[in-house]
Amino acid sequence: MHKVMISRIKGTQDIAFEDIDYWHFAEEIIRNISHKYAFTEIRTPIFEATELFKRSVGESTDVVQKEMYTFEDKGGRSITLRPEGTASVARAFIENSFINLGSPVKLFYSGPMFRYEKPQAGRLRQFHQFGAEILGSESPLADFEIIEMAYSFLKELKINNAKLFINSIGCPACREDYKTALKEYYSDKLAGMCPDCQRRYETNVLRLLDCKIDKGLVQGAPGILDYLDSDCRSHFEELQWYLERAGIDYEVDQFLVRGLDYYTRTAFEIRSSSLGSQDQLVGGGRYDGLVEYIGGKSCPAVGFAIGLERIVMLLKSENVRINGPETSEVAILTFGREESVRGFDYAKRLRKMGVSTFVDVMERNMRNKMKHASRIGAKISLLIGKEEIERDIVTIKVMNDGSQFQVDSDYMADYVVDKLRDIS
Ligand code: HAM
């Protein structure tokens, strides 16, 4: 057999050692924040019927047109790896009749998403989102709480270089007039635009506003705020009132339309200039029509999602201090069979007392065992050889100063725990 080297798929990451500490840090804050805001966790499947995303995210979007991992399973069903979490939450809300729990229902999720995009710094094909959704409330209070929650998540992570942009894209009724105005504006420019825009002009003219290629034309386009009906306008004004009262800085960007079709009224993004070209950290908004559109009773909703790879990039670039790497506190180094049995027994006792204990399962000499124990950052090593078994003792080595003690095996655990307390 000849050797083959199998690499990970482009746009994916292996996260381990120092990197995983950043993830644990962020994930702990996700759980804390969600708990403090009284959101409960939902875990939905990583794959869903393709139709769910086509209908929710929208046929005319880049996500559905170009970026979905779609395949046929062995039963001939069309399956898609979820490109985002909101559609699945809405489906689960309907399927499990969460509406009967009484409104509002506040849910959060955290997990991998998949989009076939061109990989670059901060843009992956498998990435992770923390998302939160409030279902059942039409009030701008819900929009405010969602934005405020995303905001305080960033504050908790000590990410300060982030700016909130908000817009209202109205309801389907006021959007029709706006679409007509946009079509008029773009009609004499269309011939020089990219093929995607030419197609989107017919399928969903709003998408022209987030084209990466023809973005130069956006500045002269009509703005949606001039087309809002009075209900949508006052909804948007009220959200701004709450943001101001909470001291949350924002900028209105009336060309912010988001890349997913389900949005109504509020759309928002939090961007950070420290991120480079993929500067969007948080995306969210209201989706009052989605639940009904995919088969449920009419139910207004609003939510956000945060990209965790981008969070980790920021934490690293801003040198945010996180708890040091999780190292084992004690390493057990044994020489011989009986000695190893004793070693496993000590490990069991220490673990019961909450001590992280590494057992060296390599049969090698003392020097190499010690070298590895210090490489993994053990604070104390326990040495168990012939003499230790015969005299029913254990040799305890404090790694930072090299001091060594022999202790009766009955006192081993108490001694180690005390010593660890002294060292830290
Ligand atoms: P989104 O703006 O498509 O919204 O994604 C939210 C966040 O996910 C982005 O701001 C970014 O941080 C991260 N993200 C997206 N694509 C990638 C990628 N290829 N690589 C790395 N990070 C990425 C949504 O997904 C909506 N479901 C948000 C929402 C929840 N709206 C209402 N509720």
Side-chain angles (χ1 to χ4, degrees):
M1 272 228 308
H2 60 275
K3 274 195 191 171
V4 280
M5 175 69 193
I6 301 171
S7 311
R8 60 172 180 267
I9 305 291
K10 201 171 155 187
T12 64
Q13 278 185 319
D14 301 311
I15 306 164
F17 295 105
E18 306 91 71
D19 280 349
I20 204 74
D21 296 325
Y22 284 94
W23 286 79
H24 288 163
F25 177 67
E27 285 160 0
E28 199 179 313
I29 292 179
I30 289 172
R31 270 193 301 275
N32 276 339
I33 284 268
S34 303
H35 176 67
K36 284 187 200 158
Y37 277 73
F39 279 58
T40 52
E41 183 174 3
I42 178 164
R43 297 187 187 186
T44 60
I46 279 171
F47 53 68
E48 299 266 5
T50 301
E51 197 51 30
L52 173 66
F53 301 114
K54 280 195 177 163
R55 270 188 90 80
S56 315
V57 173
E59 295 265 11
S60 68
T61 58
D62 275 357
V63 171
V64 169
Q65 288 278 326
K66 304 177 188 168
E67 297 168 3
M68 293 207 302
Y69 279 91
T70 297
F71 58 95
E72 202 171 274
D73 74 3
K74 290 187 173 28
R77 305 167 191 90
S78 181
I79 305 283
T80 293
L81 300 186
R82 63 183 185 192
E84 60 103 48
T86 309
S88 303
V89 169
R91 183 213 34 78
F93 180 83
I94 300 166
E95 202 163 344
N96 298 288
S97 305
F98 290 155
I99 203 160
N100 296 337
L101 299 173
S103 293
V105 173
K106 300 185 180 185
L107 299 168
F108 81 95
Y109 51 90
S110 165
M113 309 288 162
F114 305 85
R115 294 185 194 175
Y116 192 78
E117 291 192 84
K118 206 170 160 35
Q120 62 179 79
R123 193 163 70 195
L124 289 113
R125 289 183 174 170
Q126 175 174 335
F127 60 99
H128 297 75
Q129 285 185 344
F130 158 42
E133 317 281 353
I134 300 180
L135 295 113
S137 171
E138 191 173 23
S139 165
L141 283 171
D143 307 53
F144 168 74
E145 184 174 52
I146 277 292
I147 292 176
E148 200 267 332
M149 182 178 177
Y151 196 78
S152 62
F153 176 66
L154 299 182
K155 279 269 159 314
E156 194 80 15
L157 289 162
K158 303 189 182 55
I159 291 175
N160 296 312
N161 184 13
K163 191 161 178 191
L164 169 66
F165 295 86
I166 60 171
N167 192 20
S168 173
I169 56 171
C171 61
C174 41
R175 212 173 311 148
E176 276 317 304
D177 291 342
Y178 180 58
K179 281 184 175 169
T180 309
L182 267 188
K183 277 198 153 177
E184 212 169 287
Y185 169 76
Y186 279 111
S187 62
D188 59 348
K189 302 172 181 64
L190 199 61
M193 293 178 76
C194 73
D196 276 344
C197 281
Q198 300 195 358
R199 179 175 49 77
R200 290 172 186 137
Y201 182 83
E202 296 303 333
T203 54
N204 185 355
V205 66
L206 236 62
R207 294 269 79 83
L208 267 61
L209 296 176
D210 54 21
C211 176
K212 315 274 176 309
I213 301 163
D214 292 312
K215 57 179 170 218
L217 294 172
V218 171
Q219 289 318 316
I224 189 152
L225 296 179
D226 297 330
Y227 292 82
L228 295 186
D229 61 27
S230 64
D231 283 352
C232 291
R233 188 184 309 277
S234 65
H235 192 277
F236 191 45
E237 282 167 0
E238 205 154 327
L239 168 63
Q240 292 178 67
W241 188 85
Y242 284 115
L243 289 173
E244 274 155 32
R245 287 298 293 267
I248 296 179
D249 275 345
Y250 65 88
E251 191 176 312
V252 174
D253 172 359
Q254 58 169 338
F255 298 118
L256 189 167
V257 289
R258 309 271 301 125
L260 311 161
D261 275 355
Y262 48 63
Y263 291 112
T264 53
R265 293 188 167 170
T266 310
F268 68 93
E269 290 179 357
I270 300 180
R271 303 178 197 143
S272 171
S273 57
S274 317
L275 278 173
S277 67
Q278 299 304 310
D279 66 348
Q280 191 199 310
L281 200 53
V282 183
R286 180 163 276 288
Y287 47 97
D288 290 344
L290 177 61
V291 171
E292 188 173 12
Y293 190 59
I294 60 170
K297 288 190 196 127
S298 165
C299 180
V302 58
F304 73 75
I306 300 186
L308 295 183
E309 281 74 8
R310 294 182 190 178
I311 291 284
V312 169
M313 270 174 75
L314 277 184
L315 292 176
K316 284 184 172 175
S317 75
E318 296 189 2
N319 286 323
V320 172
R321 279 179 62 84
I322 57 166
N323 297 331
E326 283 176 24
T327 52
S328 32
E329 298 170 286
V330 173
I332 297 196
L333 317 180
T334 62
F335 309 90
R337 288 172 74 191
E338 279 310 316
E339 294 80 351
S340 297
V341 171
R342 177 72 60 91
F344 281 116
D345 177 52
Y346 285 171
K348 205 185 264 174
R349 285 198 231 162
L350 289 169
R351 288 170 185 153
K352 235 184 219 157
M353 296 176 82
V355 177
S356 160
T357 308
F358 172 90
V359 177
D360 191 357
V361 292
M362 303 290 285
E363 301 189 30
R364 55 184 163 192
N365 67 29
M366 166 76 164
R367 221 177 75 99
N368 288 338
K369 278 183 187 267
M370 287 301 281
K371 226 161 130 182
H372 192 73
S374 61
R375 178 181 299 153
I376 62 167
K379 297 188 179 74
I380 285 177
S381 289
L382 302 190
L383 278 55
I384 312 164
K386 238 190 205 68
E387 188 199 343
E388 280 79 8
I389 294 291
E390 275 165 20
R391 294 176 50 205
D392 201 16
I393 56 165
V394 58
T395 300
I396 293 178
K397 186 174 176 101
V398 179
M399 301 298 280
N400 64 358
D401 60 9
S403 56
Q404 221 161 281
F405 310 86
Q406 294 196 317
V407 177
D408 278 358
S409 79
D410 285 347
Y411 301 121
M412 179 278 305
D414 288 335
Y415 191 89
V416 167
V417 169
D418 281 352
K419 202 78 199 158
L420 283 171
R421 204 173 294 132
D422 287 352
I423 298 170
S424 56

